[in-house]
Amino acid sequence: MELGIAAIGLASVVICAMPFVITNKSRKTKEKQMMTSLNDVASKNNCKITEHEIFGHYAIGVDAQKKFVFFISKSGEVLNQQYADLSKIKTSEIGNIGKSYVRKEKITERLILTLFSKHVNEPDTVFEFYNADVNYQLIGEFQSIEKWNKEIKNLLKN
């Protein structure tokens, strides 16, 4: 009788823990794929990622020596790879695009980091950290974009 109760208890614990184990494994697999893609785009430009961050649907990294920034974002099954040579960038700026309401509330719809080119005829580079159509809730993207804006500005100064 006690053995049966113990077996039922053990089975219950395993059943309750299984979703957490599967979710964790899936997250780690996605992070590994994002890091592989980030390293691939860096190696195509003869660079090596010295600092990076993987954040759900995007990954960003820099090669501090060669002064390149790499950005990978995933929208559904589409993987977007972008990079910028900081020697060709004048400055960077955070863009918080959204709607303002009567009570002075602002709802963020997009959060972008724009790297402005030194040359007028070259396009600016835009990294999209958040899009309300893709992700339903902001979970740390503000802190992430502020960190990377500061990091890029420091690399631009040196």
Side-chain angles (χ1 to χ4, degrees):
M1 174 106 164
E2 291 175 14
L3 187 61
I5 293 172
I8 291 171
L10 182 62
S12 298
V13 168
V14 168
I15 289 171
C16 290
M18 195 61 98
F20 296 106
V21 171
I22 292 171
T23 302
N24 190 35
K25 185 176 181 182
S26 173
R27 181 182 52 81
K28 286 185 179 185
T29 302
K30 287 178 185 176
E31 285 180 359
K32 187 176 180 181
Q33 289 172 345
M34 292 289 270
M35 192 62 206
T36 301
S37 296
L38 198 60
N39 283 324
D40 286 347
V41 72
S43 65
K44 287 177 186 174
N45 292 284
N46 298 318
C47 294
K48 186 176 180 181
I49 302 294
T50 56
E51 186 179 346
H52 73 279
E53 179 179 29
I54 300 171
F55 201 95
H57 66 284
Y58 70 85
I60 184 168
V62 295
D63 182 332
Q65 290 180 334
K66 293 187 179 179
K67 295 190 178 184
F68 270 77
V69 180
F70 302 95
F71 189 80
I72 305 292
S73 62
K74 191 168 185 178
S75 178
E77 294 300 316
V78 178
L79 189 67
N80 301 312
Q81 297 180 339
Q82 296 174 275
Y83 68 91
D85 180 353
L86 294 180
S87 68
K88 298 177 182 179
I89 301 297
K90 179 173 43 175
T91 188
S92 65
E93 187 178 293
I94 297 172
N96 185 348
I97 302 163
K99 294 180 183 176
S100 295
Y101 292 98
V102 178
R103 291 183 245 136
K104 297 183 181 179
E105 291 181 12
K106 184 171 182 177
I107 305 296
T108 301
E109 292 181 346
R110 290 181 66 214
L111 197 56
I112 59 173
L113 182 62
T114 305
L115 306 177
F116 294 98
S117 176
K118 287 181 180 177
H119 308 288
V120 178
N121 58 348
E122 291 183 16
D124 298 332
T125 305
V126 178
F127 298 148
E128 187 175 69
F129 280 66
Y130 173 76
N131 186 332
D133 295 334
V134 178
N135 307 85
Y136 303 110
Q137 189 173 1
L138 283 163
I139 310 172
E141 283 89 348
F142 277 119
Q143 294 82 0
S144 177
I145 199 169
E146 287 172 352
K147 170 191 168 189
W148 286 101
N149 187 40
K150 184 178 177 182
E151 179 76 25
I152 289 168
K153 284 187 176 188
N154 285 337
L155 288 171
L156 289 171
K157 285 179 186 176
N158 296 336

